[in-house]
Amino acid sequence: MYADRVLSGMRPTGSLHLGHYHGVLKNWIKLQHEYECLFFVADWHALTTHYDNPRGIEEATWQMVIDWLAAGVDPAKATLFIQSQVIEHAELHLLLSMMTPLGWLERVPTYKDQQEKLSEKDLSTYGFLGYPLLQSADILIYRANQVPVGEDQVPHIEFSREIARRFNHLYGKEAGYEEKAEAAVKKLGGKKAKLYNELRTRYQQAGDEGALESAKALLGETQNLSLGDKERLYGYLEGGGKMILTEPEALLTVASKMPGLDGQKMSKSYHNTISLREDPEAVTKKIRTMPTDPARGRRTDPGEPDRCPVWPLHEVYSGDDVKAWVRQGCTTAGIGCIECKQPVIDAVLKELAPIQERARALTEDPDTVKNVIADGCEKARDLARETMRDVREAMGLNYG
Ligand code: TRP
Ligand code: SF4
């Protein structure tokens, strides 16, 4: 129950580019071997900024799932689903909205930033303000404890932690909570109960984090407690109630910033991307026509790789030998720019070939893609329902 579970979501932006591949997908593909992973299409999130034009979201979703699979996200290892197809996210979002202070939402840094950035849109909506809370519901509903995100999303994870803490604090205390916790301590047995109490006191009175960890380890090893009692004792350690929702952590991706065709980060808004489905001729042309060090006006003028947008691509794709060849050839005008770009072109084409082959096969076989998602949605729904049962019970909404 306290094993690591990873969850991450992506807005449906249609077909993906090399920036997504190097920045996100490669990391997901690695994580799927190491953890239980859930990856989903955040289609409701797309509505928070595209409510005026929701057509297209569905098609973008399917195309993005094809790219995930083509890139190597493996449905036998990870659960893939679509947010709007697991409606429990909406129920948790609604219930959490009741206890979310407005100030917390207004203080999330992306709120004002994005409003300013997308100033042509009216984003003074209820949905846009609540977007970080929807993200919290996405995470908390799976009790995911590790969330791989980029730097910009870290405040959202922090926000989710605060929401989980507030929820547990407000609703985690059942009637007779203290008595039930004390009874559960007794069930640990003499020695263990004594140790638990000592560690709990050391943590609560002296803030001793080591004692907290030891107490958690002690509970982790304990076999003879019911799940309910175990949760009660985890909560009792930190002074709160039962841990109904799990506080997630940001699993920071070592920011591999894929350079675009102009030396800036690759991003759709900079129009400097190579899409994963870009055909080989277009890839070749895009790289051939990339700007280079302006000092190399003529073939005979020497240049400096550090001033050239092609160089960061060599850093991604080329080995030390090729990089040495570039430095030497560029600074002495020994090679031309077209020559210099060829190894990058070759490497990109080699990387894309198997992805494009799989994408082609999947495009011709939409049933396979639909089945992967149907399976994933079903698995996700089972997990989400389990949490919602506990949430409703904690809030007194069980009507059983
Ligand atoms: N907000 C994320 C983005 O815009 C997408 C997202 C939605 C997400 N819900 C999530 C990411 C939950 C991680 C976990 O990129
Ligand atoms: Fe850039 Fe290569 Fe031309 Fe030098 S030789 S300016 S690194 S493209």
Side-chain angles (χ1 to χ4, degrees):
M1 141 140 233
Y2 285 86
D4 283 321
R5 181 179 284 163
V6 166
L7 170 107
S8 200
M10 218 191 264
R11 288 171 180 240
T13 50
S15 82
L16 302 180
H17 54 66
L18 281 172
H20 298 112
Y21 180 64
H22 285 269
V24 184
L25 290 177
K26 274 168 73 177
N27 187 43
W28 284 12
I29 291 161
K30 181 167 126 327
L31 291 170
Q32 69 187 358
H33 299 289
E34 300 167 359
Y35 298 99
E36 178 189 356
C37 286
L38 296 146
F39 300 128
F40 73 99
V41 181
D43 59 344
W44 279 339
H45 284 268
L47 283 174
T48 62
T49 49
H50 289 72
Y51 58 85
D52 52 345
N53 182 20
R55 308 270 142 207
I57 291 180
E58 182 175 359
E59 183 52 24
T61 294
W62 292 122
Q63 292 307 324
M64 188 165 83
V65 171
I66 288 178
D67 279 344
W68 288 2
L69 297 170
V73 178
D74 180 356
K77 297 231 167 355
T79 302
L80 310 183
F81 66 98
I82 298 169
Q83 180 186 32
S84 66
Q85 303 308 297
V86 185
I87 49 155
E88 284 79 0
H89 289 229
E91 184 185 355
L92 184 57
H93 177 224
L94 175 98
L95 293 177
L96 294 176
S97 78
M98 304 299 171
M99 46 138 268
T100 302
L102 266 183
W104 289 17
L105 286 165
E106 286 160 349
R107 256 186 277 117
V108 173
T110 45
Y111 178 59
K112 289 227 161 59
D113 285 3
Q114 289 289 99
Q115 268 191 338
E116 278 160 25
K117 231 175 163 178
L118 304 171
S119 56
E120 77 282 5
K121 279 210 171 117
D122 181 5
L123 290 181
S124 42
T125 57
Y126 182 47
F128 185 71
L129 176 67
Y131 148 70
L133 188 65
L134 182 57
Q135 181 163 357
S136 300
D138 299 336
I139 299 167
L140 299 175
I141 205 162
Y142 300 105
R143 295 181 162 129
N145 51 354
Q146 302 282 339
V147 184
V149 286
E151 202 100 45
D152 58 320
Q153 294 274 314
V154 171
H156 293 172
I157 309 304
E158 193 45 51
F159 175 81
S160 303
R161 295 171 63 82
E162 281 166 19
I163 293 292
R165 221 173 289 147
R166 184 166 166 85
F167 184 94
N168 291 336
H169 180 73
L170 284 170
Y171 310 118
K173 293 199 174 89
E174 331 137 83
Y177 172 68
E178 299 259 329
E179 293 74 26
K180 283 186 185 162
E182 288 299 335
V185 174
K186 288 216 180 76
K187 286 186 209 156
L188 281 171
K191 251 196 186 151
K192 277 191 172 172
K194 188 157 170 263
L195 181 57
Y196 175 91
N197 280 330
E198 275 170 19
L199 292 167
R200 177 169 178 266
T201 308
R202 255 165 56 203
Y203 174 66
Q204 293 201 347
Q205 295 186 355
D208 182 342
E209 296 280 342
L212 177 64
E213 285 313 305
S214 308
K216 283 185 178 167
L218 174 78
L219 293 175
E221 289 160 12
T222 302
Q223 312 262 339
N224 62 335
L225 282 184
S226 70
L227 270 185
D229 273 341
K230 223 177 205 182
E231 279 185 34
R232 229 164 251 134
L233 291 188
Y234 276 111
Y236 196 46
L237 278 174
E238 293 175 77
K242 231 164 116 178
M243 300 248 296
I244 299 158
L245 299 176
T246 305
E247 289 183 36
E249 269 170 50
L251 188 59
L252 261 183
T253 329
V254 208
S256 115
K257 289 229 170 70
M258 178 69 189
L261 292 164
D262 54 0
Q264 297 186 83
K265 176 183 171 210
M266 189 178 282
S267 159
K268 209 163 148 191
S269 48
Y270 298 148
H271 306 288
N272 63 358
T273 60
I274 294 176
S275 118
L276 295 183
R277 314 256 195 109
E278 197 97 42
D279 71 63
E281 291 74 46
V283 171
T284 307
K285 187 163 167 224
K286 277 189 169 176
I287 299 176
R288 281 226 178 113
T289 54
M290 269 182 75
T292 60
D293 178 3
R296 297 207 70 181
R298 276 175 300 226
R299 166 71 179 77
T300 47
D301 296 331
E304 177 48 62
D306 294 330
R307 284 194 305 253
C308 176
V310 180
W311 178 249
L313 289 173
H314 276 294
E315 301 248 56
V316 174
Y317 287 105
S318 301
D320 289 341
D321 48 342
V322 172
K323 284 195 276 189
W325 169 79
V326 170
R327 277 212 170 275
Q328 161 75 15
C330 180
T331 50
T332 60
I335 58 170
C337 290
I338 292 289
E339 225 177 312
C340 174
K341 288 168 170 176
Q342 195 57 45
V344 172
I345 295 173
D346 293 341
V348 172
L349 292 179
K350 189 165 166 220
E351 178 169 74
L352 291 181
I355 296 177
Q356 296 191 348
E357 183 51 46
R358 286 192 291 263
R360 236 187 322 268
L362 290 162
T363 304
E364 281 165 20
D365 182 15
D367 284 350
T368 295
V369 181
K370 294 228 156 97
N371 286 337
V372 162
I373 290 297
D375 278 0
C377 288
E378 209 165 306
K379 279 190 211 150
R381 231 173 263 134
D382 283 346
L383 296 171
R385 283 187 183 147
E386 227 174 88
T387 307
M388 287 317 296
R389 212 175 302 131
D390 295 349
V391 164
R392 286 191 212 112
E393 187 189 284
M395 294 182 73
L397 294 168
N398 244 351
Y399 294 92

